[in-house]
């Protein structure tokens, strides 16, 4: 019997619908090649949800996600909703959905394609071959720790946040990182500040303990300040980087500039039961509606869905190979265009990727 996967599709605002439609076209192609069925069910999120229901994440949308095998999201936000109060903004819908689905591991792969190596701010010889993945703990750490706040002490105003991790929180995200490393080049770099912070000393202890269950995976520890330097000095030596919420927030943005364009960066947020896939970029209101957005980040996010939610590793690799091929053939959307290459719009890029998927699948 044909396998059926239920996908909640939340297109959102700005270029969200344009890039999600591109990813659905690629998924339809994969469905034909591999004989699986994807059932898409659309829900509202972000600004469009505010306009239609008054809520950036209506209950119906959440219910839809809770009853799906995976969620594919475009982007939310835009100038129309910028002046709303903090708790009514489109971005609030994103925070709420991540929390509601308990998506504790944020995966941000960073791959530098040879064809785009000149777009990187680093020298080609340094950045060539970079293919790393940051696993960031997403629902705990200093962004959530209590006590927090601004208060008065001895007549002065002070501010305080608490960086707290419990063993189980460290263990579950570390296990995810090791499991993922097993499907990649079998190396994990754990990033902490164990020379100064007690919470990091515990982090390191738990990581070392978990590592014993994965003797086939190499483990390296780096202090966060050193990790920030090494990411620029030797990016191609990293495979999986696992770290806490704040360090991961900063390091994944640092790593994200290596490929040279926001339009190329996919992401996944994963929990034990649910997973959400989305491009790293926002709704790009400056180019929305012009059909020129780069769909690659969202197509790669759909590829991550195949790998991490549906165990379709081969199909996921096929998508990546087709993207590489399309770039090698010289096709570029406006954000990655350079002289001597062929400029295409969102649909043109999607079409070329689909053609390459079909061709490579028949080899
Ligand atoms: P942005 O990522 O939307 O855009 C930054 C720049 O990159 C813009 O010049 C844009 O045109 C370009 N860009 C982004 N994605 C592109 C693509 N796929 N192809 C070609 N060019 C692309 O960031 P921003 O301008 O700071 O934010 C715009 C809105 O998006 C804001 O409302 C912000 O809050 C929201 N936002 C949402 C998310 C999300 O939904 N996860 C993430 C970031 C920002």
């Amino acid at each position: 019997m044909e396998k059926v996967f239920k996908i909640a599709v939340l297109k959102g605002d700005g270029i969200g619908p344009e890039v999600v439609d591109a990813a659905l076209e690629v998924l339809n192609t994969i469905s034909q090649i591999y004989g699986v069925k994807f059932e898409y069910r659309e829900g509202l999120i972000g600004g469009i949800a505010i306009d239609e229901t008054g809520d950036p994440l209506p209950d119906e949308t959440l219910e839809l996600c809770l009853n799906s095998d995976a969620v594919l999201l475009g982007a939310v936000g835009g100038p129309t909703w910028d002046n709303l109060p903090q708790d009514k903004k489109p971005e609030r819908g994103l925070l709420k959905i991540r929390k509601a689905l308990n998506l504790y591991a944020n995966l941000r792969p960073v791959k530098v394609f040879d064809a785009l190596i000149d777009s990187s701010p680093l020298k080609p010889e340094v950045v060539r071959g970079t293919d790393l993945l940051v696993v960031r703990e997403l629902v705990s750490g200093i962004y959530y720790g209590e006590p927090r706040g601004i208060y008065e002490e001895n007549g002065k105003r002070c501010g305080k946040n608490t960086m707290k991790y419990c063993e189980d929180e460290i263990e579950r995200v570390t296990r995810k990182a090791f499991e993922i490393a097993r499907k990649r080049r079998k190396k994990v770099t754990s990033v902490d500040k164990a020379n100064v912070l007690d919470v990091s000393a515990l982090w390191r202890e738990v990581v070392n303990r978990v590592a014993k269950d994965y003797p086939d995976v190499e483990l390296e520890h780096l202090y966060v300040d050193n990790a920030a330097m090494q990411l620029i000095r030797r990016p191609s030596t990293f495979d999986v980087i696992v770290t806490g919420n704040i360090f991961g927030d900063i390091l994944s943005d640092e790593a994200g500039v290596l490929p040279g364009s926001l339009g190329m960066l996919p992401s996944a947020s994963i929990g034990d039961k649910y997973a959400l896939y989305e491009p790293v970029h926002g709704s790009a209101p400056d180019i929305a509606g012009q059909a020129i957005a780069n769909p690659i980040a969202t197509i790669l996010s759909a590829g991550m869905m195949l790998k991490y939610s549906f165990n379709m590793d081969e199909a996921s690799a096929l998508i990546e190979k087709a993207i590489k091929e399309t770039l090698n053939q010289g096709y570029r959307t406006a954000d990655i265009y350079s002289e001597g290459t062929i400029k295409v719009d969102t649909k043109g890029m999607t079409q070329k990727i689909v053609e390459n998927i079909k061709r490579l699948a028949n080899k």
Side-chain angles (χ1 to χ4, degrees), residues 173-185:
V173 72
T174 304
R175 281 200 186 280
K176 278 268 185 271
F178 275 93
E179 294 292 338
I180 292 166
R182 267 193 170 156
K183 286 185 159 195
R184 293 174 47 101
R185 298 194 311 281

Side-chain angles (χ1 to χ4, degrees), residues 15 75-78 91 94 262 278 281-287 293-294 335:
I15 60 169
V76 301
E91 291 79 0
L94 269 186
L262 253 180
E278 59 178 324
H281 62 71
S283 59
D286 53 337
I287 57 163
N294 185 347
D335 56 314

Side-chain angles (χ1 to χ4, degrees), residues 188-262:
V188 169
T189 302
S190 171
V191 174
D192 61 37
K193 191 68 186 169
N195 49 343
V196 179
L197 300 175
D198 299 310
V199 58
S200 281
L202 181 70
W203 179 280
R204 195 172 279 218
E205 194 187 308
V206 174
V207 171
N208 281 331
R209 195 165 70 215
V210 170
K212 290 203 176 89
D213 293 339
Y214 302 86
D216 51 323
V217 178
E218 183 195 340
L219 171 65
E220 155 186 70
H221 293 282
L222 287 183
Y223 297 133
V224 62
D225 40 352
N226 189 22
M229 283 198 287
Q230 301 309 330
L231 259 178
I232 300 298
R233 283 180 60 185
R234 52 171 180 95
S236 65
T237 66
F238 291 96
D239 181 18
V240 174
I241 298 173
V242 64
T243 189
N245 207 340
I246 188 167
F247 298 157
D249 189 5
I250 298 164
L251 292 180
S252 57
D253 269 17
E254 183 190 357
V257 301
L258 300 175
S261 170
L262 253 180

Side-chain angles (χ1 to χ4, degrees), residues 41-116:
R41 292 177 306 162
E42 285 195 34
L44 296 171
I45 192 167
I48 185 167
I50 295 174
D51 289 351
E52 294 197 15
T53 71
D55 185 345
L57 182 70
D59 290 345
E60 264 171 53
T61 302
L62 189 54
E63 197 57 33
L64 172 72
C65 296
L66 291 170
N67 288 303
S68 298
D69 296 309
V71 182
L72 181 65
L73 186 123
V76 301
T80 321
W81 307 281
D82 273 354
N83 294 326
L84 291 174
Q86 231 19 283
D87 64 327
K88 296 267 182 315
K89 284 194 173 169
E91 291 79 0
R92 184 55 53 155
L94 269 186
L95 295 179
K96 206 171 137 192
I97 199 170
R98 287 175 186 150
K99 196 86 192 155
L101 303 183
N102 195 20
L103 307 174
Y104 58 79
N106 181 235
L107 277 47
R108 294 254 305 249
V110 172
K111 190 178 172 108
V112 176
F113 290 92
D114 277 352
L116 295 182

